[in-house]
Every structure is written in structure tokens, then in C-alpha cells.
Amino acid sequence: MSVNLSKGQAISLEKKDGGTLSAVRMGLGWQAAKRRGLFGSRTREIDLDASAVLFAGAEPKDVVFFRHLVSDDGSVRHTGDNLVGGVGQGDDEAILVDLQRVPVHIDQIVFTVNSFTGQTFQEVQNAFCRLVDETNGQELARYTLAGGGEYTAQIMAKVHRAGTGWTMTAIGAPANGRTFQDLMPVIVPHL
């Protein structure tokens, strides 16, 4: 059963049987919004990019994004860059996290989305990020990006250590920037 998260809401990533998740996928999906023009409705391709920034405390230690597809330790992997989105009902980009392999000094992984081409989220529709149990494909949580806006990025969610397990928190903070580097000042207050 999936939980629809609202901004700031957290969920534990423990399994119902008391175990903890071993591998999760953060999926990102989106479509270009239809725009009315002189000759009817049309869409323009939108290139959103998913990134995962690995933190030890408040210090970034590694990042996974379209130009660095695998973390240095191999625990986090990006499945590849999608330049247009809206390919179907599933994830347009995904980041896989092997929670058991994440080094012990990494205590948070923050997931961001940015418009590499600089279009605002007013031009995006049906955008979401979701967390999936990679061992069985079950969707655990979904955060829907609603309302568009005059910004080009969003700090979507974070997965962080909580005792011996992990917790996911929906952040949903709008920002401006074309890459994860541009978003670092906005990420830090959410650690």
C-alpha cells in the first residue's frame, strides 16, 4: 500500500514484518504541459533531471546525477538521463539505492529535480517522485509535485538514517537552478 506524502511528512521504511528495506528506487515522472497557441494545443519538450546528494552530517560527500551515474562506493545508481519525460505511466528517470551498501558515515540522501533547460515548473504537469521497494516493486510512497510555479527546481525528498533503519521525508521545497550544484544553498536547511 502506497502513502501519498504531503510536504514535510515522514514515513518509516521498515517492512511490516519488522525487517528493513534493503534496496529502494526513487522514481521521477513528468509530462510537458499543453499550451494553447494560435494553432491549437502544443507541448514543448522538457528535460527534468533527478539527482541524489549523499551527506555525512551537513557535508556533501558524493552525488549521483546524469553526468555521474554511480556513487563512488557503488551504493547509489542513476538509470540514465531522459531528455523529454512523459514516455508512459512509469518513471522517466530513476535512482536506485542499495541501503545495505550505503557507507555508515552517510546519514542522508537528498533527492532533487531540476529543469536543465531552464523551463519553469509551470510548463510541467503530472510530475511526481515515488519510493519503491526494489526487491518486490511495491510502491511505498509518492510525492506529487502540484501547482507548477515560477521556479526551475525542487528539493523533493530525503532518505535518512533513523536508528537502525531508514525514514523518507517529503520536502517539496521550490528552488531555482539548472543543476544540483545550484540547489545546495536550498538543500542545507532541510538536513
Side-chain angles (χ1 to χ4, degrees):
M1 177 174 99
S2 179
V3 174
N4 284 320
L5 293 173
S6 56
K7 186 175 178 176
Q9 184 179 0
I11 63 164
S12 171
L13 298 182
E14 288 189 15
K15 291 186 173 191
K16 291 179 185 176
D17 64 6
T20 58
L21 292 173
S22 59
V24 294
R25 173 174 21 108
M26 180 63 72
L28 167 67
W30 75 93
Q31 295 174 329
K34 292 196 183 305
R35 312 283 273 166
R36 290 214 176 267
L38 185 60
F39 301 107
S41 295
R42 58 183 170 79
T43 59
R44 191 169 108 186
E45 292 179 350
I46 305 233
D47 179 13
L48 295 186
D49 291 319
S51 301
V53 185
L54 289 71
F55 286 89
E59 189 175 331
K61 295 295 185 181
D62 201 354
V63 66
V64 174
F65 69 118
F66 70 93
R67 289 190 178 144
H68 186 243
L69 295 175
V70 179
S71 62
D72 293 339
D73 59 49
S75 65
V76 182
R77 185 171 49 90
H78 196 297
T79 60
D81 195 14
N82 180 322
L83 302 176
V84 297
V87 178
Q89 297 298 320
D91 302 331
D92 296 314
E93 289 194 13
I95 297 175
L96 306 170
V97 182
D98 184 341
L99 295 169
Q100 295 178 330
R101 289 185 58 201
V102 174
V104 294
H105 70 284
I106 300 297
D107 58 358
Q108 300 180 77
I109 302 170
V110 178
F111 297 95
T112 66
V113 177
N114 56 275
S115 172
F116 187 73
T117 49
Q119 293 123 320
T120 69
F121 279 32
Q122 287 178 324
E123 299 178 62
V124 176
Q125 66 183 17
N126 301 325
F128 66 87
C129 82
R130 66 188 192 125
L131 193 70
V132 176
D133 181 343
E134 194 60 16
T135 61
N136 63 15
Q138 178 185 5
E139 183 176 289
L140 303 168
R142 177 179 287 257
Y143 179 73
T144 303
L145 171 64
E150 285 290 327
Y151 47 90
T152 60
Q154 184 154 21
I155 314 309
M156 293 295 278
K158 72 177 178 177
V159 174
H160 50 100
R161 291 187 193 271
T164 59
W166 292 84
T167 298
M168 176 187 176
T169 301
I171 298 173
N176 283 299
R178 294 180 51 231
T179 66
F180 76 90
Q181 294 100 323
D182 299 337
L183 306 179
M184 293 306 286
V186 181
I187 292 173
V188 171
H190 297 284
L191 301 176

